[in-house]
């Protein structure tokens, strides 16, 4: 069974960003999502409400990107800055709670805030051509964030991060060779 690709619907209001993530939010969607979030942070947005009610699966890389956002906002010193995860499915909520990241990501049950595409801009994540180096870098950063917030995650992700570090190093070496590429 093939899961639907991740889509994100974005709506901004004041300093708040409302995101509705649908489908399979995984490592292939993470670089696009990371770029989207970075752009919103650069524009001064500090409060993120992320509706996960239609997110069928959230992998550790995508969760790590959300966690990094939560850490950044927590460290900003702005008492209004936060990441609220709205209405995650039981499976997604179990992953979030199991990885111990709720100090930076709050799980909230509330009525859906974005009903359809008429209220904002919808983007399919993971459709842009992302080179292997950016995928590896994004996945590494995401897993490092998960390990930083919960010591129990060290044992869960140490092999993954070691592999990603080695892969990233090989890709960087290949890129630095004459005529080298990272794709």
């Amino acid at each position: 069974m093939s899961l639907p690709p991740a889509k994100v619907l974005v709506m901004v209001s004041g300093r708040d960003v409302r995101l509705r993530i649908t489908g399979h939010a995984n490592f292939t969607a993470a670089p696009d999502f990371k770029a989207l979030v970075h752009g919103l942070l650069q524009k001064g947005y500090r409060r993120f409400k992320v509706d996960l009610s239609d997110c069928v699966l959230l992998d550790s890389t995508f969760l790590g990107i959300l966690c990094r956002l939560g850490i950044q906002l927590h460290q900003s010193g702005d008492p209004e800055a936060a990441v609220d995860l709205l209405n995650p499915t039981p499976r997604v909520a179990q992953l979030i709670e199991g990885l111990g990241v709720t100090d930076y990501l709050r799980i909230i049950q509330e009525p859906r805030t974005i009903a359809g595409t008429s209220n904002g801009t919808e983007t399919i994540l993971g459709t842009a051509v992302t080179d292997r180096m950016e995928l590896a870098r994004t996945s590494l950063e995401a897993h490092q964030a998960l390990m930083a917030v919960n010591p129990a995650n060290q044992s869960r992700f140490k092999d993954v991060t070691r592999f990603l570090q080695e892969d990233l190093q090989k890709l960087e070496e290949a890129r630095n060779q004459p005529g080298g590429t990272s794709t």
Side-chain angles (χ1 to χ4, degrees), residues 111-155:
R112 183 177 284 176
T113 56
I114 302 177
T117 59
S118 62
N119 294 335
T121 304
E122 184 177 52
T123 303
I124 299 175
L125 300 173
T127 58
V129 176
T130 303
D131 69 11
R132 283 185 51 207
M133 189 177 295
E134 182 58 27
L135 278 172
R137 183 178 294 110
T138 299
S139 293
L140 178 61
E141 291 169 357
H143 286 89
Q144 287 172 332
L146 293 171
M147 291 168 56
V149 299
N150 184 357
N153 291 336
Q154 296 283 335
S155 62

Side-chain angles (χ1 to χ4, degrees), residues 32-51:
D32 289 347
F33 187 69
K34 176 181 145 185
L36 170 69
V37 166
H38 179 74
L40 292 166
L41 284 170
Q42 292 296 322
K43 291 179 181 177
Y45 296 104
R46 296 292 180 258
R47 183 132 180 98
F48 291 76
K49 290 187 177 269
V50 184
D51 183 344

Side-chain angles (χ1 to χ4, degrees), residues 17-38:
V17 176
R18 296 187 184 276
L19 304 167
R20 180 172 170 230
I21 298 172
T22 64
H24 183 194
N26 65 6
F27 74 97
T28 60
D32 289 347
F33 187 69
K34 176 181 145 185
L36 170 69
V37 166
H38 179 74

Side-chain angles (χ1 to χ4, degrees), residues 27-126:
F27 74 97
T28 60
D32 289 347
F33 187 69
K34 176 181 145 185
L36 170 69
V37 166
H38 179 74
L40 292 166
L41 284 170
Q42 292 296 322
K43 291 179 181 177
Y45 296 104
R46 296 292 180 258
R47 183 132 180 98
F48 291 76
K49 290 187 177 269
V50 184
D51 183 344
L52 295 174
S53 59
D54 292 323
C55 180
V56 294
L57 186 63
L58 181 76
D59 78 359
S60 57
T61 299
F62 204 93
L63 179 58
I65 298 302
L66 285 167
C67 189
R68 284 189 74 213
L69 174 61
I71 292 167
Q72 283 180 278
L73 293 172
H74 180 77
Q75 293 174 344
S76 73
D78 182 346
E80 297 293 317
V83 178
D84 296 334
L85 304 179
L86 309 177
N87 312 318
T89 63
R91 183 176 182 184
V92 170
Q94 183 179 15
L95 171 69
I96 294 164
E97 291 167 354
L99 291 177
V101 297
T102 54
D103 287 347
Y104 299 97
L105 304 171
R106 296 184 300 196
I107 296 176
I108 298 173
Q109 297 296 324
E110 70 175 37
R112 183 177 284 176
T113 56
I114 302 177
T117 59
S118 62
N119 294 335
T121 304
E122 184 177 52
T123 303
I124 299 175
L125 300 173

